[in-house]
PDB file of all heavy atoms in Angstrom:
ATOM      1  N   PRO K 862       0.834  -1.205   0.000  1.00 96.00           N
ATOM      2  CA  PRO K 862       0.000   0.000   0.000  1.00 96.00           C
ATOM      3  C   PRO K 862       0.873   1.263   0.000  1.00 96.00           C
ATOM      4  O   PRO K 862       1.871   1.337   0.719  1.00 96.00           O
ATOM      5  CB  PRO K 862      -0.786  -0.106   1.312  1.00 96.00           C
ATOM      6  CG  PRO K 862      -0.674  -1.538   1.734  1.00 96.00           C
ATOM      7  CD  PRO K 862       0.631  -2.025   1.203  1.00 96.00           C
ATOM      8  N   LEU K 863       0.488   2.226  -0.807  1.00 98.00           N
ATOM      9  CA  LEU K 863       1.203   3.502  -0.812  1.00 98.00           C
ATOM     10  C   LEU K 863       0.757   4.318   0.400  1.00 98.00           C
ATOM     11  O   LEU K 863      -0.412   4.291   0.781  1.00 98.00           O
ATOM     12  CB  LEU K 863       0.929   4.260  -2.101  1.00 98.00           C
ATOM     13  CG  LEU K 863       1.326   3.544  -3.397  1.00 98.00           C
ATOM     14  CD1 LEU K 863       1.107   4.459  -4.600  1.00 98.00           C
ATOM     15  CD2 LEU K 863       2.779   3.075  -3.348  1.00 98.00           C
ATOM     16  N   ARG K 864       1.697   5.031   0.994  1.00 98.00           N
ATOM     17  CA  ARG K 864       1.421   5.821   2.192  1.00 98.00           C
ATOM     18  C   ARG K 864       1.860   7.259   1.959  1.00 98.00           C
ATOM     19  O   ARG K 864       2.852   7.510   1.266  1.00 98.00           O
ATOM     20  CB  ARG K 864       2.176   5.253   3.400  1.00 98.00           C
ATOM     21  CG  ARG K 864       1.772   3.832   3.793  1.00 98.00           C
ATOM     22  CD  ARG K 864       2.783   3.250   4.778  1.00 98.00           C
ATOM     23  NE  ARG K 864       2.395   1.951   5.324  1.00 98.00           N
ATOM     24  CZ  ARG K 864       2.624   0.783   4.747  1.00 98.00           C
ATOM     25  NH1 ARG K 864       3.237   0.739   3.562  1.00 98.00           N
ATOM     26  NH2 ARG K 864       2.258  -0.349   5.313  1.00 98.00           N
ATOM     27  N   ALA K 865       1.160   8.194   2.571  1.00 98.00           N
ATOM     28  CA  ALA K 865       1.555   9.596   2.480  1.00 98.00           C
ATOM     29  C   ALA K 865       2.985   9.738   2.988  1.00 98.00           C
ATOM     30  O   ALA K 865       3.334   9.193   4.035  1.00 98.00           O
ATOM     31  CB  ALA K 865       0.605  10.465   3.286  1.00 98.00           C
ATOM     32  N   GLY K 866       3.816  10.447   2.234  1.00 98.00           N
ATOM     33  CA  GLY K 866       5.220  10.622   2.587  1.00 98.00           C
ATOM     34  C   GLY K 866       6.163   9.774   1.757  1.00 98.00           C
ATOM     35  O   GLY K 866       7.373  10.012   1.765  1.00 98.00           O
ATOM     36  N   MET K 867       5.623   8.784   1.053  1.00 98.00           N
ATOM     37  CA  MET K 867       6.481   7.955   0.199  1.00 98.00           C
ATOM     38  C   MET K 867       6.812   8.703  -1.095  1.00 98.00           C
ATOM     39  O   MET K 867       5.939   9.312  -1.722  1.00 98.00           O
ATOM     40  CB  MET K 867       5.792   6.638  -0.153  1.00 98.00           C
ATOM     41  CG  MET K 867       5.755   5.631   0.979  1.00 98.00           C
ATOM     42  SD  MET K 867       4.918   4.104   0.448  1.00 98.00           S
ATOM     43  CE  MET K 867       5.394   2.995   1.802  1.00 98.00           C
ATOM     44  N   ILE K 868       8.087   8.629  -1.503  1.00 98.00           N
ATOM     45  CA  ILE K 868       8.530   9.195  -2.775  1.00 98.00           C
ATOM     46  C   ILE K 868       8.672   8.055  -3.780  1.00 98.00           C
ATOM     47  O   ILE K 868       9.196   6.995  -3.459  1.00 98.00           O
ATOM     48  CB  ILE K 868       9.860   9.950  -2.607  1.00 98.00           C
ATOM     49  CG1 ILE K 868       9.664  11.204  -1.749  1.00 98.00           C
ATOM     50  CG2 ILE K 868      10.457  10.328  -3.963  1.00 98.00           C
ATOM     51  CD1 ILE K 868      10.942  11.952  -1.421  1.00 98.00           C
ATOM     52  N   LEU K 869       8.171   8.295  -4.994  1.00 98.00           N
ATOM     53  CA  LEU K 869       8.292   7.313  -6.070  1.00 98.00           C
ATOM     54  C   LEU K 869       8.689   8.005  -7.369  1.00 98.00           C
ATOM     55  O   LEU K 869       8.515   9.221  -7.522  1.00 98.00           O
ATOM     56  CB  LEU K 869       6.964   6.582  -6.308  1.00 98.00           C
ATOM     57  CG  LEU K 869       6.423   5.727  -5.178  1.00 98.00           C
ATOM     58  CD1 LEU K 869       5.158   6.336  -4.621  1.00 98.00           C
ATOM     59  CD2 LEU K 869       6.158   4.306  -5.652  1.00 98.00           C
ATOM     60  N   SER K 870       9.192   7.215  -8.298  1.00 98.00           N
ATOM     61  CA  SER K 870       9.389   7.730  -9.650  1.00 98.00           C
ATOM     62  C   SER K 870       8.134   7.483 -10.468  1.00 98.00           C
ATOM     63  O   SER K 870       7.352   6.583 -10.182  1.00 98.00           O
ATOM     64  CB  SER K 870      10.598   7.060 -10.316  1.00 98.00           C
ATOM     65  OG  SER K 870      10.369   5.673 -10.503  1.00 98.00           O
ATOM     66  N   ASN K 871       7.950   8.307 -11.489  1.00 98.00           N
ATOM     67  CA  ASN K 871       6.870   8.166 -12.469  1.00 98.00           C
ATOM     68  C   ASN K 871       7.568   8.134 -13.817  1.00 98.00           C
ATOM     69  O   ASN K 871       7.943   9.175 -14.348  1.00 98.00           O
ATOM     70  CB  ASN K 871       5.907   9.350 -12.335  1.00 98.00           C
ATOM     71  CG  ASN K 871       4.847   9.388 -13.434  1.00 98.00           C
ATOM     72  OD1 ASN K 871       4.789   8.520 -14.302  1.00 98.00           O
ATOM     73  ND2 ASN K 871       4.011  10.427 -13.406  1.00 98.00           N
ATOM     74  N   GLU K 872       7.765   6.919 -14.390  1.00 98.00           N
ATOM     75  CA  GLU K 872       8.642   6.816 -15.557  1.00 98.00           C
ATOM     76  C   GLU K 872       8.194   5.789 -16.598  1.00 98.00           C
ATOM     77  O   GLU K 872       8.893   4.813 -16.863  1.00 98.00           O
ATOM     78  CB  GLU K 872      10.078   6.517 -15.125  1.00 98.00           C
ATOM     79  CG  GLU K 872      10.258   5.342 -14.179  1.00 98.00           C
ATOM     80  CD  GLU K 872      11.736   5.107 -13.842  1.00 98.00           C
ATOM     81  OE1 GLU K 872      12.566   5.074 -14.766  1.00 98.00           O
ATOM     82  OE2 GLU K 872      12.046   4.960 -12.645  1.00 98.00           O
ATOM     83  N   PRO K 873       7.042   6.022 -17.239  1.00 98.00           N
ATOM     84  CA  PRO K 873       6.686   5.164 -18.366  1.00 98.00           C
ATOM     85  C   PRO K 873       7.646   5.374 -19.531  1.00 98.00           C
ATOM     86  O   PRO K 873       8.351   6.400 -19.607  1.00 98.00           O
ATOM     87  CB  PRO K 873       5.271   5.632 -18.720  1.00 98.00           C
ATOM     88  CG  PRO K 873       5.185   7.033 -18.219  1.00 98.00           C
ATOM     89  CD  PRO K 873       6.062   7.099 -17.002  1.00 98.00           C
ATOM     90  N   GLY K 874       7.692   4.420 -20.444  1.00 98.00           N
ATOM     91  CA  GLY K 874       8.602   4.520 -21.580  1.00 98.00           C
ATOM     92  C   GLY K 874       8.116   3.712 -22.766  1.00 98.00           C
ATOM     93  O   GLY K 874       7.084   3.035 -22.719  1.00 98.00           O
ATOM     94  N   TYR K 875       8.866   3.807 -23.852  1.00 98.00           N
ATOM     95  CA  TYR K 875       8.632   2.983 -25.044  1.00 98.00           C
ATOM     96  C   TYR K 875       9.993   2.742 -25.704  1.00 98.00           C
ATOM     97  O   TYR K 875      10.811   3.666 -25.799  1.00 98.00           O
ATOM     98  CB  TYR K 875       7.686   3.668 -26.041  1.00 98.00           C
ATOM     99  CG  TYR K 875       7.662   2.926 -27.357  1.00 98.00           C
ATOM    100  CD1 TYR K 875       6.993   1.705 -27.465  1.00 98.00           C
ATOM    101  CD2 TYR K 875       8.351   3.405 -28.466  1.00 98.00           C
ATOM    102  CE1 TYR K 875       7.003   0.992 -28.647  1.00 98.00           C
ATOM    103  CE2 TYR K 875       8.365   2.696 -29.656  1.00 98.00           C
ATOM    104  CZ  TYR K 875       7.698   1.484 -29.746  1.00 98.00           C
ATOM    105  OH  TYR K 875       7.720   0.757 -30.909  1.00 98.00           O
ATOM    106  N   TYR K 876      10.200   1.508 -26.174  1.00 97.00           N
ATOM    107  CA  TYR K 876      11.514   1.140 -26.718  1.00 97.00           C
ATOM    108  C   TYR K 876      11.331   0.337 -28.000  1.00 97.00           C
ATOM    109  O   TYR K 876      10.669  -0.709 -28.000  1.00 97.00           O
ATOM    110  CB  TYR K 876      12.298   0.325 -25.681  1.00 97.00           C
ATOM    111  CG  TYR K 876      12.311   1.028 -24.344  1.00 97.00           C
ATOM    112  CD1 TYR K 876      11.346   0.751 -23.382  1.00 97.00           C
ATOM    113  CD2 TYR K 876      13.235   2.031 -24.084  1.00 97.00           C
ATOM    114  CE1 TYR K 876      11.316   1.438 -22.182  1.00 97.00           C
ATOM    115  CE2 TYR K 876      13.213   2.722 -22.882  1.00 97.00           C
ATOM    116  CZ  TYR K 876      12.242   2.427 -21.934  1.00 97.00           C
ATOM    117  OH  TYR K 876      12.213   3.123 -20.761  1.00 97.00           O
ATOM    118  N   LYS K 877      11.902   0.829 -29.072  1.00 96.00           N
ATOM    119  CA  LYS K 877      11.878   0.130 -30.358  1.00 96.00           C
ATOM    120  C   LYS K 877      13.289  -0.387 -30.609  1.00 96.00           C
ATOM    121  O   LYS K 877      14.200   0.392 -30.924  1.00 96.00           O
ATOM    122  CB  LYS K 877      11.429   1.068 -31.481  1.00 96.00           C
ATOM    123  CG  LYS K 877      11.219   0.343 -32.813  1.00 96.00           C
ATOM    124  CD  LYS K 877      10.620   1.278 -33.852  1.00 96.00           C
ATOM    125  CE  LYS K 877      10.320   0.520 -35.151  1.00 96.00           C
ATOM    126  NZ  LYS K 877       9.705   1.412 -36.155  1.00 96.00           N
ATOM    127  N   GLY K 878      13.459  -1.692 -30.400  1.00 92.00           N
ATOM    128  CA  GLY K 878      14.789  -2.296 -30.445  1.00 92.00           C
ATOM    129  C   GLY K 878      15.575  -1.935 -31.690  1.00 92.00           C
ATOM    130  O   GLY K 878      15.067  -2.004 -32.812  1.00 92.00           O
ATOM    131  N   GLY K 879      16.830  -1.520 -31.486  1.00 93.00           N
ATOM    132  CA  GLY K 879      17.723  -1.180 -32.583  1.00 93.00           C
ATOM    133  C   GLY K 879      17.454   0.160 -33.230  1.00 93.00           C
ATOM    134  O   GLY K 879      18.130   0.537 -34.190  1.00 93.00           O
ATOM    135  N   ASP K 880      16.476   0.919 -32.704  1.00 97.00           N
ATOM    136  CA  ASP K 880      16.093   2.168 -33.364  1.00 97.00           C
ATOM    137  C   ASP K 880      16.113   3.355 -32.399  1.00 97.00           C
ATOM    138  O   ASP K 880      16.955   4.256 -32.509  1.00 97.00           O
ATOM    139  CB  ASP K 880      14.710   1.988 -33.989  1.00 97.00           C
ATOM    140  CG  ASP K 880      14.359   3.087 -34.988  1.00 97.00           C
ATOM    141  OD1 ASP K 880      15.095   4.084 -35.056  1.00 97.00           O
ATOM    142  OD2 ASP K 880      13.341   2.943 -35.701  1.00 97.00           O
ATOM    143  N   TYR K 881      15.209   3.374 -31.429  1.00 98.00           N
ATOM    144  CA  TYR K 881      15.156   4.496 -30.499  1.00 98.00           C
ATOM    145  C   TYR K 881      14.398   4.084 -29.248  1.00 98.00           C
ATOM    146  O   TYR K 881      13.747   3.031 -29.198  1.00 98.00           O
ATOM    147  CB  TYR K 881      14.482   5.718 -31.141  1.00 98.00           C
ATOM    148  CG  TYR K 881      13.004   5.537 -31.438  1.00 98.00           C
ATOM    149  CD1 TYR K 881      12.034   5.923 -30.512  1.00 98.00           C
ATOM    150  CD2 TYR K 881      12.579   4.975 -32.642  1.00 98.00           C
ATOM    151  CE1 TYR K 881      10.679   5.748 -30.771  1.00 98.00           C
ATOM    152  CE2 TYR K 881      11.230   4.803 -32.915  1.00 98.00           C
ATOM    153  CZ  TYR K 881      10.285   5.184 -31.982  1.00 98.00           C
ATOM    154  OH  TYR K 881       8.950   5.007 -32.239  1.00 98.00           O
ATOM    155  N   GLY K 882      14.475   4.924 -28.224  1.00 98.00           N
ATOM    156  CA  GLY K 882      13.731   4.696 -26.991  1.00 98.00           C
ATOM    157  C   GLY K 882      13.268   6.009 -26.400  1.00 98.00           C
ATOM    158  O   GLY K 882      13.850   7.073 -26.677  1.00 98.00           O
ATOM    159  N   ILE K 883      12.216   5.942 -25.585  1.00 98.00           N
ATOM    160  CA  ILE K 883      11.618   7.131 -24.975  1.00 98.00           C
ATOM    161  C   ILE K 883      11.315   6.825 -23.518  1.00 98.00           C
ATOM    162  O   ILE K 883      10.812   5.745 -23.194  1.00 98.00           O
ATOM    163  CB  ILE K 883      10.305   7.508 -25.698  1.00 98.00           C
ATOM    164  CG1 ILE K 883      10.585   8.008 -27.127  1.00 98.00           C
ATOM    165  CG2 ILE K 883       9.506   8.554 -24.909  1.00 98.00           C
ATOM    166  CD1 ILE K 883       9.381   7.941 -28.032  1.00 98.00           C
ATOM    167  N   ARG K 884      11.638   7.742 -22.629  1.00 98.00           N
ATOM    168  CA  ARG K 884      11.205   7.635 -21.230  1.00 98.00           C
ATOM    169  C   ARG K 884      11.072   9.057 -20.684  1.00 98.00           C
ATOM    170  O   ARG K 884      11.902   9.934 -21.005  1.00 98.00           O
ATOM    171  CB  ARG K 884      12.205   6.817 -20.400  1.00 98.00           C
ATOM    172  CG  ARG K 884      11.735   6.530 -18.997  1.00 98.00           C
ATOM    173  CD  ARG K 884      12.474   5.349 -18.341  1.00 98.00           C
ATOM    174  NE  ARG K 884      13.891   5.542 -18.145  1.00 98.00           N
ATOM    175  CZ  ARG K 884      14.839   4.921 -18.866  1.00 98.00           C
ATOM    176  NH1 ARG K 884      14.518   4.089 -19.836  1.00 98.00           N
ATOM    177  NH2 ARG K 884      16.117   5.143 -18.627  1.00 98.00           N
ATOM    178  N   ILE K 885      10.036   9.286 -19.896  1.00 98.00           N
ATOM    179  CA  ILE K 885       9.843  10.574 -19.216  1.00 98.00           C
ATOM    180  C   ILE K 885       9.727  10.246 -17.737  1.00 98.00           C
ATOM    181  O   ILE K 885       8.824   9.507 -17.333  1.00 98.00           O
ATOM    182  CB  ILE K 885       8.572  11.293 -19.704  1.00 98.00           C
ATOM    183  CG1 ILE K 885       8.627  11.545 -21.221  1.00 98.00           C
ATOM    184  CG2 ILE K 885       8.387  12.609 -18.937  1.00 98.00           C
ATOM    185  CD1 ILE K 885       7.309  12.029 -21.800  1.00 98.00           C
ATOM    186  N   GLU K 886      10.639  10.802 -16.931  1.00 98.00           N
ATOM    187  CA  GLU K 886      10.646  10.460 -15.506  1.00 98.00           C
ATOM    188  C   GLU K 886      10.735  11.694 -14.626  1.00 98.00           C
ATOM    189  O   GLU K 886      11.649  12.514 -14.766  1.00 98.00           O
ATOM    190  CB  GLU K 886      11.830   9.544 -15.187  1.00 98.00           C
ATOM    191  CG  GLU K 886      11.945   9.194 -13.705  1.00 98.00           C
ATOM    192  CD  GLU K 886      13.209   8.411 -13.378  1.00 98.00           C
ATOM    193  OE1 GLU K 886      14.155   8.425 -14.196  1.00 98.00           O
ATOM    194  OE2 GLU K 886      13.253   7.804 -12.288  1.00 98.00           O
ATOM    195  N   ASN K 887       9.796  11.802 -13.721  1.00 98.00           N
ATOM    196  CA  ASN K 887       9.843  12.735 -12.603  1.00 98.00           C
ATOM    197  C   ASN K 887       9.700  11.949 -11.314  1.00 98.00           C
ATOM    198  O   ASN K 887       9.185  10.828 -11.317  1.00 98.00           O
ATOM    199  CB  ASN K 887       8.692  13.746 -12.670  1.00 98.00           C
ATOM    200  CG  ASN K 887       8.851  14.770 -13.774  1.00 98.00           C
ATOM    201  OD1 ASN K 887       9.957  15.037 -14.238  1.00 98.00           O
ATOM    202  ND2 ASN K 887       7.736  15.345 -14.215  1.00 98.00           N
ATOM    203  N   LEU K 888      10.110  12.531 -10.207  1.00 98.00           N
ATOM    204  CA  LEU K 888       9.811  11.956  -8.899  1.00 98.00           C
ATOM    205  C   LEU K 888       8.569  12.631  -8.336  1.00 98.00           C
ATOM    206  O   LEU K 888       8.311  13.812  -8.598  1.00 98.00           O
ATOM    207  CB  LEU K 888      10.990  12.124  -7.940  1.00 98.00           C
ATOM    208  CG  LEU K 888      12.288  11.440  -8.353  1.00 98.00           C
ATOM    209  CD1 LEU K 888      13.322  11.519  -7.237  1.00 98.00           C
ATOM    210  CD2 LEU K 888      12.069   9.996  -8.783  1.00 98.00           C
ATOM    211  N   VAL K 889       7.789  11.844  -7.582  1.00 98.00           N
ATOM    212  CA  VAL K 889       6.546  12.350  -7.000  1.00 98.00           C
ATOM    213  C   VAL K 889       6.495  11.986  -5.520  1.00 98.00           C
ATOM    214  O   VAL K 889       7.072  10.984  -5.093  1.00 98.00           O
ATOM    215  CB  VAL K 889       5.301  11.786  -7.727  1.00 98.00           C
ATOM    216  CG1 VAL K 889       5.255  12.258  -9.169  1.00 98.00           C
ATOM    217  CG2 VAL K 889       5.252  10.257  -7.658  1.00 98.00           C
ATOM    218  N   LEU K 890       5.798  12.805  -4.748  1.00 98.00           N
ATOM    219  CA  LEU K 890       5.583  12.573  -3.318  1.00 98.00           C
ATOM    220  C   LEU K 890       4.120  12.197  -3.105  1.00 98.00           C
ATOM    221  O   LEU K 890       3.213  12.892  -3.587  1.00 98.00           O
ATOM    222  CB  LEU K 890       5.914  13.844  -2.528  1.00 98.00           C
ATOM    223  CG  LEU K 890       5.612  13.820  -1.026  1.00 98.00           C
ATOM    224  CD1 LEU K 890       6.545  12.859  -0.301  1.00 98.00           C
ATOM    225  CD2 LEU K 890       5.726  15.228  -0.439  1.00 98.00           C
ATOM    226  N   THR K 891       3.887  11.090  -2.407  1.00 98.00           N
ATOM    227  CA  THR K 891       2.525  10.672  -2.090  1.00 98.00           C
ATOM    228  C   THR K 891       1.977  11.578  -0.981  1.00 98.00           C
ATOM    229  O   THR K 891       2.612  11.740   0.065  1.00 98.00           O
ATOM    230  CB  THR K 891       2.506   9.206  -1.624  1.00 98.00           C
ATOM    231  OG1 THR K 891       3.267   8.409  -2.533  1.00 98.00           O
ATOM    232  CG2 THR K 891       1.086   8.679  -1.562  1.00 98.00           C
ATOM    233  N   VAL K 892       0.807  12.167  -1.241  1.00 98.00           N
ATOM    234  CA  VAL K 892       0.233  13.134  -0.299  1.00 98.00           C
ATOM    235  C   VAL K 892      -1.255  12.866  -0.116  1.00 98.00           C
ATOM    236  O   VAL K 892      -1.925  12.305  -0.986  1.00 98.00           O
ATOM    237  CB  VAL K 892       0.431  14.594  -0.790  1.00 98.00           C
ATOM    238  CG1 VAL K 892       1.905  14.967  -0.807  1.00 98.00           C
ATOM    239  CG2 VAL K 892      -0.186  14.800  -2.168  1.00 98.00           C
ATOM    240  N   ALA K 893      -1.793  13.294   1.029  1.00 97.00           N
ATOM    241  CA  ALA K 893      -3.226  13.202   1.280  1.00 97.00           C
ATOM    242  C   ALA K 893      -3.969  14.167   0.363  1.00 97.00           C
ATOM    243  O   ALA K 893      -3.477  15.254   0.053  1.00 97.00           O
ATOM    244  CB  ALA K 893      -3.517  13.520   2.741  1.00 97.00           C
ATOM    245  N   GLN K 894      -5.158  13.758  -0.095  1.00 97.00           N
ATOM    246  CA  GLN K 894      -5.977  14.584  -0.976  1.00 97.00           C
ATOM    247  C   GLN K 894      -7.228  15.050  -0.239  1.00 97.00           C
ATOM    248  O   GLN K 894      -7.897  14.251   0.434  1.00 97.00           O
ATOM    249  CB  GLN K 894      -6.401  13.780  -2.211  1.00 97.00           C
ATOM    250  CG  GLN K 894      -5.253  13.357  -3.103  1.00 97.00           C
ATOM    251  CD  GLN K 894      -4.651  14.531  -3.853  1.00 97.00           C
ATOM    252  OE1 GLN K 894      -5.327  15.195  -4.643  1.00 97.00           O
ATOM    253  NE2 GLN K 894      -3.379  14.801  -3.606  1.00 97.00           N
ATOM    254  N   ASP K 895      -7.541  16.317  -0.380  1.00 94.00           N
ATOM    255  CA  ASP K 895      -8.770  16.866   0.203  1.00 94.00           C
ATOM    256  C   ASP K 895      -9.828  16.918  -0.899  1.00 94.00           C
ATOM    257  O   ASP K 895      -9.841  17.838  -1.720  1.00 94.00           O
ATOM    258  CB  ASP K 895      -8.498  18.257   0.765  1.00 94.00           C
ATOM    259  CG  ASP K 895      -9.723  18.845   1.454  1.00 94.00           C
ATOM    260  OD1 ASP K 895     -10.670  18.075   1.717  1.00 94.00           O
ATOM    261  OD2 ASP K 895      -9.735  20.063   1.709  1.00 94.00           O
ATOM    262  N   ILE K 896     -10.667  15.895  -0.949  1.00 94.00           N
ATOM    263  CA  ILE K 896     -11.700  15.798  -1.990  1.00 94.00           C
ATOM    264  C   ILE K 896     -13.054  16.030  -1.332  1.00 94.00           C
ATOM    265  O   ILE K 896     -13.485  15.229  -0.485  1.00 94.00           O
ATOM    266  CB  ILE K 896     -11.667  14.415  -2.677  1.00 94.00           C
ATOM    267  CG1 ILE K 896     -10.274  14.132  -3.263  1.00 94.00           C
ATOM    268  CG2 ILE K 896     -12.744  14.322  -3.755  1.00 94.00           C
ATOM    269  CD1 ILE K 896     -10.129  12.742  -3.850  1.00 94.00           C
ATOM    270  N   PRO K 897     -13.742  17.113  -1.686  1.00 95.00           N
ATOM    271  CA  PRO K 897     -15.059  17.375  -1.067  1.00 95.00           C
ATOM    272  C   PRO K 897     -16.001  16.183  -1.281  1.00 95.00           C
ATOM    273  O   PRO K 897     -16.144  15.671  -2.392  1.00 95.00           O
ATOM    274  CB  PRO K 897     -15.555  18.621  -1.815  1.00 95.00           C
ATOM    275  CG  PRO K 897     -14.302  19.291  -2.307  1.00 95.00           C
ATOM    276  CD  PRO K 897     -13.347  18.173  -2.626  1.00 95.00           C
ATOM    277  N   GLY K 898     -16.618  15.739  -0.197  1.00 95.00           N
ATOM    278  CA  GLY K 898     -17.574  14.647  -0.279  1.00 95.00           C
ATOM    279  C   GLY K 898     -16.947  13.267  -0.391  1.00 95.00           C
ATOM    280  O   GLY K 898     -17.662  12.274  -0.587  1.00 95.00           O
ATOM    281  N   ALA K 899     -15.621  13.199  -0.268  1.00 92.00           N
ATOM    282  CA  ALA K 899     -14.956  11.897  -0.399  1.00 92.00           C
ATOM    283  C   ALA K 899     -15.412  10.939   0.695  1.00 92.00           C
ATOM    284  O   ALA K 899     -15.570  11.335   1.850  1.00 92.00           O
ATOM    285  CB  ALA K 899     -13.442  12.074  -0.330  1.00 92.00           C
ATOM    286  N   GLU K 900     -15.634   9.697   0.320  1.00 95.00           N
ATOM    287  CA  GLU K 900     -16.032   8.671   1.278  1.00 95.00           C
ATOM    288  C   GLU K 900     -14.793   7.881   1.678  1.00 95.00           C
ATOM    289  O   GLU K 900     -14.415   6.912   1.022  1.00 95.00           O
ATOM    290  CB  GLU K 900     -17.096   7.761   0.651  1.00 95.00           C
ATOM    291  CG  GLU K 900     -18.366   8.529   0.298  1.00 95.00           C
ATOM    292  CD  GLU K 900     -19.408   7.675  -0.394  1.00 95.00           C
ATOM    293  OE1 GLU K 900     -19.113   6.494  -0.673  1.00 95.00           O
ATOM    294  OE2 GLU K 900     -20.509   8.194  -0.660  1.00 95.00           O
ATOM    295  N   GLY K 901     -14.117   8.352   2.704  1.00 95.00           N
ATOM    296  CA  GLY K 901     -12.871   7.737   3.128  1.00 95.00           C
ATOM    297  C   GLY K 901     -11.679   8.612   2.764  1.00 95.00           C
ATOM    298  O   GLY K 901     -11.823   9.685   2.169  1.00 95.00           O
ATOM    299  N   ASP K 902     -10.489   8.158   3.146  1.00 97.00           N
ATOM    300  CA  ASP K 902      -9.264   8.920   2.911  1.00 97.00           C
ATOM    301  C   ASP K 902      -8.714   8.615   1.517  1.00 97.00           C
ATOM    302  O   ASP K 902      -8.687   7.460   1.079  1.00 97.00           O
ATOM    303  CB  ASP K 902      -8.212   8.547   3.958  1.00 97.00           C
ATOM    304  CG  ASP K 902      -8.638   8.956   5.362  1.00 97.00           C
ATOM    305  OD1 ASP K 902      -9.369   9.963   5.474  1.00 97.00           O
ATOM    306  OD2 ASP K 902      -8.254   8.277   6.332  1.00 97.00           O
ATOM    307  N   TYR K 903      -8.246   9.663   0.846  1.00 98.00           N
ATOM    308  CA  TYR K 903      -7.702   9.519  -0.502  1.00 98.00           C
ATOM    309  C   TYR K 903      -6.287  10.095  -0.565  1.00 98.00           C
ATOM    310  O   TYR K 903      -5.925  11.000   0.193  1.00 98.00           O
ATOM    311  CB  TYR K 903      -8.597  10.211  -1.531  1.00 98.00           C
ATOM    312  CG  TYR K 903      -9.702   9.299  -2.030  1.00 98.00           C
ATOM    313  CD1 TYR K 903     -10.748   8.930  -1.186  1.00 98.00           C
ATOM    314  CD2 TYR K 903      -9.667   8.779  -3.320  1.00 98.00           C
ATOM    315  CE1 TYR K 903     -11.746   8.071  -1.622  1.00 98.00           C
ATOM    316  CE2 TYR K 903     -10.661   7.921  -3.764  1.00 98.00           C
ATOM    317  CZ  TYR K 903     -11.692   7.571  -2.924  1.00 98.00           C
ATOM    318  OH  TYR K 903     -12.663   6.699  -3.352  1.00 98.00           O
ATOM    319  N   LEU K 904      -5.510   9.544  -1.476  1.00 98.00           N
ATOM    320  CA  LEU K 904      -4.136   9.987  -1.703  1.00 98.00           C
ATOM    321  C   LEU K 904      -3.957  10.399  -3.160  1.00 98.00           C
ATOM    322  O   LEU K 904      -4.770  10.075  -4.023  1.00 98.00           O
ATOM    323  CB  LEU K 904      -3.147   8.861  -1.377  1.00 98.00           C
ATOM    324  CG  LEU K 904      -3.139   8.304   0.043  1.00 98.00           C
ATOM    325  CD1 LEU K 904      -2.228   7.081   0.128  1.00 98.00           C
ATOM    326  CD2 LEU K 904      -2.706   9.368   1.043  1.00 98.00           C
ATOM    327  N   GLY K 905      -2.877  11.102  -3.407  1.00 98.00           N
ATOM    328  CA  GLY K 905      -2.481  11.470  -4.764  1.00 98.00           C
ATOM    329  C   GLY K 905      -1.006  11.780  -4.760  1.00 98.00           C
ATOM    330  O   GLY K 905      -0.290  11.438  -3.805  1.00 98.00           O
ATOM    331  N   PHE K 906      -0.526  12.417  -5.823  1.00 98.00           N
ATOM    332  CA  PHE K 906       0.907  12.694  -5.947  1.00 98.00           C
ATOM    333  C   PHE K 906       1.163  14.187  -6.136  1.00 98.00           C
ATOM    334  O   PHE K 906       0.437  14.858  -6.879  1.00 98.00           O
ATOM    335  CB  PHE K 906       1.502  11.946  -7.148  1.00 98.00           C
ATOM    336  CG  PHE K 906       1.434  10.443  -7.036  1.00 98.00           C
ATOM    337  CD1 PHE K 906       0.802   9.680  -8.012  1.00 98.00           C
ATOM    338  CD2 PHE K 906       2.024   9.788  -5.958  1.00 98.00           C
ATOM    339  CE1 PHE K 906       0.756   8.297  -7.921  1.00 98.00           C
ATOM    340  CE2 PHE K 906       1.976   8.401  -5.854  1.00 98.00           C
ATOM    341  CZ  PHE K 906       1.337   7.658  -6.841  1.00 98.00           C
TER     342      PHE K 906
END
């Protein structure tokens, strides 16, 4: 389970063997979300 305070990378990619590759990576911090009317606790980045 992800917890508020955890840091993760966000790095999807695509790779075409022998030709080229793509990746976009940032780091994100897991944080509590204030969602009006939310039923229970929610998280986001």
